[in-house]
Amino acid sequence: MSSTSKPLFLWSFFIIVCVLVGLQQTLLQDEFPVETNILALLPDNQQDVVAQQAFQQIAENINNRVVFLLEGTDKDQLVLAAEHFSAQLPQLSLFSDIESQMADAEQQAWASLYFPYRAQLLAQQSKQQLQTQAAKRVNHVIQQVYNPFSGVSGGELKSDPFLLFRDYLSTLNSSESNFSLYQNYLLSEKQGVFYIVIQANLAGDAYNSQLQAKIPTLLALEESVEQMFHIKLLHTGTIFYASYGTESAKGEISTIGIGSLIGVVLLLLFVYRSALPLVLALFSISCGLLVAFIATILVFGKVHIFSLVFGASLIGVSIDYAFHYLTERLVHQGEWHAKLALKQIFNAISFGLITSLIGYLGLLIAPFPGLQQLSLFSVVGLTSAYLTVVFCYPALTQKPSKTKVPNLASLNLWLLFWHKRTVRFVVPSIFVLLALIGLTQIKFDDDIRQLQAMPSYLKAQEQKIKSVTGVGQQQTLLLVKAESEELLLQRLEQLSENFEQWKEKGDIKNFQLISQFVPSIKTQKTNYQQIASLYEQQGETLANKLNFSEPISFDASFKPLLVDQYLSSVVSKPLGFLWLGEIAEKTVSVVVLSDIKKPILIENLLNNNSNLSVLDKASEISTIFAHYRVFITEMLVAAYFLIALLLLWRYGFKLAITVLTPPFIAGLVALAITVVFAIPITIFNLLALLLVLGIGIDYTLFFAEQKQQTKSENTLLAITLSAITTVLSFGLLALSETQAIHGFGVTVFTGIVVAWLLAPLAMPVEKRCTEEHIQ
Amino acid sequence: MSKNQMVKHVFIMLLLACSISIPALTLDELQQKLMTEQLLRGDFSQSKTLQIFDRPLVSKGTFLLSHEQGLVWQQMHPFSVLLVLANNKLSQQFADQAPEIIEAKDNPMVFYFSHLFLAIFKGDLNALNEQFELTLKNNNEGWVLHLKPNSAPLNKVFSTIEIHGGEQINKLNLIELNGDITLISFTHISNLPAQLSEQEKDVFNF
């Protein structure tokens, strides 16, 4: 085996192993190992373990809900539609649980849960009444008994002579929504239009791709119901947004991946006009992507779809090394020697790789899974592409190129332009100036919503459903901690007083907490005493006025109602998840506040209460983004510094400057261009700058490492080819719907173009005299 | 035949003729009949016989039933209470005190029963069909409609509800499973004046 084919065989063997591993990890698994949940990208909340766990539990619960709203003008048609729809839904195997009708058992469930504890339960208004005017309660009962509308039966009077329990039940059941039961469905009417709500719980995670795959069948069912019964069917739920995100990301990967690939193929065919370079180039790209994919799965378990999107653009980057080699082959037709050619460009591409790696490796440090994955994917991908070139190309390109050398006259002109001294100063300076002007106007935005595509048709349905059901448009989650269940309930009751005041003033729309359904033992004891004294003081009067045959006596013993009993009843289905139980030795519960009009109220509340915090993942993430934005800037500066040292070592001061300047200016301009396109600077733009540095410096390095014999225009050809492919792949990213990716694409696109424009600055100038002499 | 025998004959024939001429009503016909009277006024007397009470509770007063607007229930004896049931609102006024107003969405339980009562009072058989099995029996005085509840929560409380009537409804009998009975009788029923007076309309505006 010759020395050129040994590495080829070794590498090929390695690649085959990777393919096998790849097959095992993808096709042989139940689920394709691609992660679509954005939150999986993010670092955990290290400071607040309770908040982290609380958020996860709540998110699981909320994410699994789907709400359907049926809308129509004929009440009975609507009911028929609801019946048909809820009968068909279970067949989709999408839901574990569907609530359409309030079963009789459920309606009675409230009463059956609380009835045994009625001696300890009092409605707020009853409490006030009993404190100040207990005697009036007697009159109230008498009125109710005589009232034909009240439905007071003998049985009820016997077990609850003061009719306190029915008052208590009605406070539990009163809702802000306008729904009432019609034929056991939750029906509402507004301006002549009727609405029925059906809720369902997913049989799994909203980000599970197998479940998402069932959505088209669901949509088909919805459409058929709409047509059959002449009604409108709306839906909302995390799974719809997640599915949209997945589809759009998949679409973008295809567009970018295929677009880049086609661009590369066309370019290769146009320039090299031969199959071999094309095959070699594709081979290098594939190896790069394959090994990167495998490595990421092995390390992280799953590849995030975000990494795949960025990875698709890796195509345009990893091909730089291939281009350099293939261009050498193209222009050295007569005197072609594969191994020698590799030696010529070895330094250039090796340094190119090292400088790119310096840029990416820094990202592995931070405990930010998204960045780590990106970094690993890119580092492994680039290295594998490089190794493919180094190990395989010489063995596969023993024969020289037969293609006619392309006419590089236009490139030559461009290079001559750069020979002029003035040009070498003026052009970069102009760019610097423009960049500096732009930089004064840049804006920052760390909002996580940058990462999410919010399709308007889904958002509209969500808003409609929220407004019909009376749920506020914005929900704020408050995390409340305490040492025990009882203390937590008491704390919730105290908070409840505040919230009630806010609600009355209209500062918030509504609030929900568990203490509304399970009073603290302290409160239950107080109620018990109040009720006992009511019986004592007024029992006789009531018995006389109504001609009771037996005296009224109070013989209930105190037995506290606990949270567990509430949670095991079917009535806790909608809100039971607010009780998180024990986390890290504290008892924790969540309060939901809807539509807060005055955020300052929450701030004040938080300032006075260390056991209270807002569970706001979005702003938590935005804080994280801001923090990492600074981190990446630091990494960027460190990268420039390290690379500068490397260059100084290799080239000495003057050349090092010329090598570093174009990518540096390119970076400045890329930042400044965001102003022109009205893109705010995010963590992603800064990541883009890392890329601009890594790629841009390849161009100047190729010039700097240019051997004596090599003509500058050949180098320029190689660089131009790489620039075109890079620009293609990142330019396609700029088409993304997701703000962050769009910004990323624009930044890289601009940076690469400027880097390419300024690259000839590093061109060996000694040649100038020789060139001019020849002319 | 003697003169006496002849008189007896005629008498019997007249009697037969009379009994034949009282028509037997069907449910549909009854529904029609009850729905034609859109506005009724009269007196009521309610008697509640509950096991836990020594003596029945009796109340008396006047009522106004408007199919369009709702029901006004003015109790005079043993104490004065004015109850007005409009579409989704209920007003209770005890003696001279301020009226207490309850809305359906705040207290669905109360309205559940009051809507039911209103449907019974109006004779709205369509609405009653959903919750009850209806059986109509004719007798000498007129007809009796038996309502047997077919679902919760009613079937856990009532064993049967009877509506007695002739030209209009004149008695409601609510019989509970435990034997408790609420009996409401209506007297002096008139469908004139056929329009609500300004004062009466005002009562419904609250």
Side-chain angles (χ1 to χ4, degrees):
Chain A
M1 216 188 279
S2 74
S3 57
T4 39
S5 26
K6 229 203 293 185
L8 170 64
F9 282 115
L10 282 174
W11 186 247
S12 307
F13 182 70
F14 174 67
I15 292 297
I16 291 174
V17 169
C18 284
V19 170
L20 291 174
V21 173
L23 286 174
Q24 187 250 337
Q25 290 287 337
T26 53
L27 298 178
L28 298 182
Q29 302 287 341
D30 289 325
E31 210 193 312
F32 211 66
V34 173
E35 171 70 70
T36 51
N37 187 349
I38 286 197
L39 296 176
L41 269 180
L42 301 165
D44 283 346
N45 186 341
Q46 310 261 318
Q47 291 114 353
D48 196 342
V49 174
V50 179
Q52 179 69 22
Q53 214 174 318
F55 180 77
Q56 267 169 333
Q57 275 179 255
I58 299 267
E60 259 171 48
N61 232 290
I62 297 183
N63 284 345
N64 285 351
R65 299 202 177 183
V66 174
V67 180
F68 296 102
L69 188 71
L70 290 86
E71 183 183 326
T73 43
D74 183 325
K75 209 161 38 164
D76 296 307
Q77 258 304 62
L78 204 60
V79 171
L80 286 174
E83 269 170 18
H84 176 87
F85 187 57
S86 31
Q88 297 290 324
L89 273 179
Q91 295 173 13
L92 295 174
S93 316
L94 187 52
F95 302 110
S96 63
D97 199 43
I98 300 169
E99 294 158 27
S100 53
Q101 289 180 299
M102 284 269 279
D104 286 341
E106 215 177 305
Q107 295 175 40
Q108 304 304 309
W110 289 100
S112 34
L113 172 65
Y114 292 107
F115 189 70
Y117 304 95
R118 63 195 185 282
Q120 294 141 211
L121 301 169
L122 273 181
Q124 194 61 25
Q125 283 170 321
S126 313
K127 266 194 264 223
Q128 285 159 352
Q129 195 189 39
L130 292 189
Q131 266 164 7
T132 50
Q133 313 158 315
K136 287 212 169 164
R137 189 74 197 173
V138 174
N139 290 338
H140 172 86
V141 174
I142 295 174
Q143 283 170 56
Q144 291 296 89
V145 172
Y146 277 97
N147 181 347
F149 300 143
S150 67
V152 175
S153 70
E156 188 184 339
L157 267 182
K158 196 157 176 201
S159 59
D160 185 17
F162 286 95
L163 299 179
L164 294 167
F165 187 57
R166 55 159 52 195
D167 283 354
Y168 178 72
L169 274 190
S170 69
T171 61
L172 290 174
N173 277 320
S174 80
S175 62
E176 304 309 306
S177 71
N178 312 311
F179 282 85
S180 52
L181 281 181
Y182 178 72
Q183 298 195 29
N184 282 346
Y185 284 99
L186 283 172
L187 183 86
S188 164
E189 190 227 325
K190 205 169 171 185
Q191 297 167 332
V193 184
F194 295 97
Y195 302 93
I196 285 184
V197 170
I198 293 180
Q199 300 190 57
N201 279 335
L202 290 174
D205 190 63
Y207 294 96
N208 181 322
S209 48
Q210 284 171 333
L211 281 184
Q212 287 180 4
K214 302 208 174 118
I215 290 189
T217 342
L218 174 65
L219 294 177
L221 172 62
E222 286 184 14
E223 222 185 286
S224 76
V225 170
E226 281 185 327
Q227 283 176 0
M228 241 196 275
F229 298 93
H230 305 291
I231 58 154
K232 249 169 78 176
L233 232 172
L234 300 161
H235 60 219
T236 188
T238 305
I239 192 172
F240 300 109
Y241 288 108
S243 163
Y244 177 83
T246 312
E247 289 307 313
S248 110
K250 275 195 205 157
E252 282 174 10
I253 292 175
S254 322
T255 315
I256 295 165
I258 294 177
S260 308
L261 217 50
I262 292 180
V264 164
V265 168
L266 286 177
L267 196 60
L268 284 165
L269 286 176
F270 178 69
V271 173
Y272 297 110
R273 292 172 209 255
S274 154
L276 186 60
L278 181 61
V279 169
L280 287 174
L282 292 178
F283 182 51
S284 163
I285 295 172
S286 324
C287 288
L289 288 177
L290 173 70
V291 181
F293 188 75
I294 303 291
T296 313
I297 293 186
L298 290 176
V299 170
F300 289 94
K302 269 187 173 190
V303 181
H304 198 280
I305 210 159
F306 222 52
S307 309
L308 282 182
V309 173
F310 282 0
S313 44
L314 206 63
I315 293 174
V317 180
S318 55
I319 207 164
D320 280 7
Y321 314 129
F323 272 142
H324 208 61
Y325 184 88
L326 292 168
T327 316
E328 280 292 298
R329 181 165 176 270
L330 180 67
V331 298
H332 283 120
Q333 289 179 327
E335 333 98 40
W336 174 247
H337 192 214
K339 238 174 119 184
L340 197 62
L342 181 64
K343 266 211 192 119
Q344 299 274 42
I345 63 162
F346 187 76
N347 289 340
I349 59 176
S350 304
F351 267 109
L353 178 71
I354 292 174
T355 50
S356 302
L357 291 184
I358 291 179
Y360 282 113
L361 284 170
L363 296 180
L364 278 174
I365 303 176
F368 192 144
L371 290 181
Q372 287 176 327
Q373 236 191 60
L374 218 67
S375 161
L376 182 70
F377 197 92
S378 309
V379 161
V380 174
L382 281 177
T383 313
S384 308
Y386 166 83
L387 288 176
T388 313
V389 171
V390 168
F391 286 162
C392 307
Y393 278 27
L396 295 171
T397 52
Q398 296 288 352
K399 299 214 190 81
S401 160
K402 295 217 183 68
T403 316
K404 189 169 131 213
V405 179
N407 186 334
L408 301 175
S410 45
L411 292 179
N412 222 346
L413 268 173
W414 175 246
L415 287 174
L416 278 178
F417 180 67
W418 273 92
H419 277 152
K420 305 206 175 73
R421 255 215 147 186
T422 36
V423 171
R424 296 164 88 90
F425 271 118
V426 169
V427 174
S429 312
I430 294 178
F431 275 113
V432 171
L433 208 62
L434 288 173
L436 288 175
I437 295 175
L439 283 173
T440 53
Q441 302 283 336
I442 55 175
K443 291 196 209 341
F444 295 97
D445 183 353
D446 301 307
D447 197 341
I448 190 192
R449 282 164 269 263
Q450 290 274 332
L451 273 182
Q452 288 172 318
M454 280 288 188
S456 50
Y457 68 91
L458 277 183
K459 200 70 189 156
Q461 287 183 63
E462 182 188 329
Q463 281 170 343
K464 179 78 194 259
I465 292 181
K466 278 186 168 165
S467 79
V468 168
T469 55
V471 170
Q473 294 294 335
Q474 299 286 357
Q475 264 83 33
T476 305
L477 299 175
L478 227 55
L479 194 64
V480 186
K481 295 183 260 200
E483 303 296 321
S484 69
E485 174 178 320
E486 171 61 14
L487 288 172
L488 183 57
L489 286 172
Q490 285 181 19
R491 195 159 276 162
L492 290 174
E493 283 173 346
Q494 282 165 356
L495 288 171
S496 190
E497 285 172 23
N498 291 9
F499 299 146
E500 191 63 56
Q501 282 174 3
W502 297 356
K503 186 170 163 187
E504 267 171 48
K505 286 198 226 155
D507 290 333
I508 62 171
K509 186 178 159 114
N510 199 9
F511 62 94
Q512 276 144 328
L513 16 66
I514 294 290
S515 61
Q516 287 168 322
F517 303 102
V518 183
S520 67
I521 296 184
K522 183 166 150 218
T523 307
Q524 289 183 45
K525 280 215 173 105
T526 320
N527 292 346
Y528 182 79
Q529 277 154 5
Q530 258 191 310
I531 296 177
S533 78
L534 173 69
Y535 274 67
E536 221 182 307
Q537 290 163 4
Q538 306 293 337
E540 216 182 305
T541 320
L542 182 61
N544 288 341
K545 289 212 171 164
L546 287 179
N547 313 321
F548 270 69
S549 48
E550 277 167 29
I552 296 175
S553 63
F554 182 74
D555 36 36
S557 52
F558 184 81
K559 199 175 116 194
L561 169 68
L562 299 171
V563 175
D564 276 339
Q565 280 137 343
Y566 166 71
L567 292 176
S568 31
S569 162
V570 72
V571 305
S572 64
K573 255 205 229 161
L575 291 173
F577 73 98
L578 290 179
W579 186 263
L580 298 173
E582 266 194 48
I583 300 179
E585 291 162 37
K586 296 243 178 179
T587 319
V588 179
S589 177
V590 172
V591 176
V592 181
L593 299 170
S594 304
D595 288 352
I596 301 176
K597 306 267 189 318
K598 284 206 194 139
I600 187 95
L601 291 171
I602 305 284
E603 270 177 55
N604 290 341
L605 199 63
L606 293 179
N607 283 338
N608 296 333
N609 256 308
S610 63
N611 285 300
L612 227 59
S613 58
V614 174
L615 212 56
D616 187 349
K617 200 68 180 174
S619 72
E620 182 193 315
I621 292 168
S622 301
T623 319
I624 293 174
F625 276 8
H627 171 76
Y628 279 99
R629 185 163 40 78
V630 174
F631 170 76
I632 292 177
T633 313
E634 287 165 10
M635 285 292 115
L636 203 57
V637 170
Y640 268 106
F641 187 65
L642 283 173
I643 292 174
L645 285 179
L646 189 66
L647 294 175
L648 270 174
W649 167 76
R650 175 122 181 108
Y651 301 121
F653 188 71
K654 200 157 176 228
L655 190 54
I657 297 271
T658 49
V659 168
L660 203 49
T661 309
F664 180 70
I665 298 180
L668 288 178
V669 175
L671 259 187
I673 204 85
T674 56
V675 172
V676 172
F677 285 94
I679 300 171
I681 301 222
T682 66
I683 196 176
F684 301 97
N685 298 86
L686 294 171
L687 281 173
L689 287 184
L690 267 179
L691 214 61
V692 167
L693 171 60
I695 302 172
I697 210 161
D698 278 357
Y699 303 161
T700 45
L701 273 174
F702 287 1
F703 265 129
E705 288 287 339
Q706 196 179 292
K707 297 285 185 255
Q708 277 280 3
Q709 318 85 296
T710 319
K711 289 201 232 153
S712 295
E713 49 269 30
N714 297 338
T715 315
L716 186 58
L717 177 63
I719 295 175
T720 311
L721 288 173
S722 344
I724 293 178
T725 49
T726 309
V727 150
L728 244 184
S729 32
F730 288 103
L732 286 172
L733 273 185
L735 295 175
S736 172
E737 268 186 20
T738 316
Q739 264 292 73
I741 300 181
H742 163 77
F744 182 90
V746 168
T747 309
V748 177
F749 180 93
T750 316
I752 298 301
V753 168
V754 173
W756 177 81
L757 278 174
L758 295 177
L761 196 66
M763 180 176 58
V765 187
E766 302 81 69
K767 289 215 171 179
R768 183 172 35 138
C769 305
T770 332
E771 229 91 36
E772 285 183 288
H773 219 74
I774 292 172
Q775 305 236 322
Chain B
M1 218 186 291
S2 73
K3 203 172 176 199
N4 274 340
Q5 276 183 315
M6 196 123 114
V7 170
K8 222 178 173 174
H9 247 121
V10 173
F11 190 40
I12 289 169
M13 302 239 329
L14 274 174
L15 212 63
L16 278 174
C18 283
S19 51
I20 290 171
S21 75
I22 297 177
L25 274 176
T26 63
L27 271 176
D28 283 331
E29 286 167 353
L30 177 62
Q31 166 89 91
Q32 290 277 29
K33 200 181 173 57
L34 294 173
M35 292 309 246
T36 41
E37 306 284 8
Q38 290 286 309
L39 184 57
L40 290 175
R41 298 176 185 76
D43 300 334
F44 73 81
S45 165
Q46 175 180 250
S47 160
K48 285 180 104 104
T49 315
L50 270 51
Q51 272 182 5
I52 60 172
F53 295 155
D54 256 345
R55 307 187 282 283
L57 294 182
V58 179
S59 63
K60 295 201 212 294
T62 62
F63 73 90
L64 183 153
L65 173 64
S66 156
H67 280 222
E68 201 188 309
Q69 300 272 27
L71 176 63
V72 180
W73 188 267
Q74 171 81 67
Q75 181 179 297
M76 317 277 212
H77 172 87
F79 52 85
S80 160
V81 168
L82 175 63
L83 296 163
V84 185
L85 177 61
N87 238 328
N88 277 317
K89 293 193 281 186
L90 175 61
S91 162
Q92 270 178 199
Q93 189 173 16
F94 180 52
D96 292 321
Q97 287 170 6
E100 191 193 321
I101 300 172
I102 309 175
E103 300 206 25
K105 63 180 171 82
D106 293 332
N107 211 329
M109 270 170 51
V110 167
F111 276 83
Y112 175 71
F113 193 82
S114 55
H115 279 149
L116 182 68
F117 185 75
L118 192 60
I120 296 174
F121 208 154
K122 276 197 225 173
D124 187 350
L125 301 188
N126 269 335
L128 294 175
N129 240 321
E130 286 163 23
Q131 314 245 31
F132 298 95
E133 254 173 59
L134 304 175
T135 332
L136 180 60
K137 294 209 172 92
N138 289 278
N139 62 20
N140 285 339
E141 287 105 37
W143 50 267
V144 180
L145 183 61
H146 293 265
L147 302 167
K148 190 153 178 292
N150 58 16
S151 59
L154 292 171
N155 63 358
K156 304 260 192 307
V157 176
F158 294 105
S159 81
T160 181
I161 297 178
E162 290 168 4
I163 309 178
H164 298 242
E167 279 307 307
Q168 296 112 349
I169 297 177
N170 52 34
K171 231 183 348 190
L172 291 183
N173 210 352
L174 293 89
I175 305 168
E176 295 180 32
L177 287 169
N178 60 5
D180 292 342
I181 299 178
T182 304
L183 182 63
I184 309 179
S185 335
F186 305 110
T187 48
H188 302 124
I189 309 171
S190 149
N191 53 11
L192 296 172
Q195 300 287 349
L196 286 171
S197 73
E198 282 309 311
Q199 220 181 354
E200 286 168 339
K201 275 193 209 158
D202 261 347
V203 175
F204 285 105
N205 288 338
F206 61 89

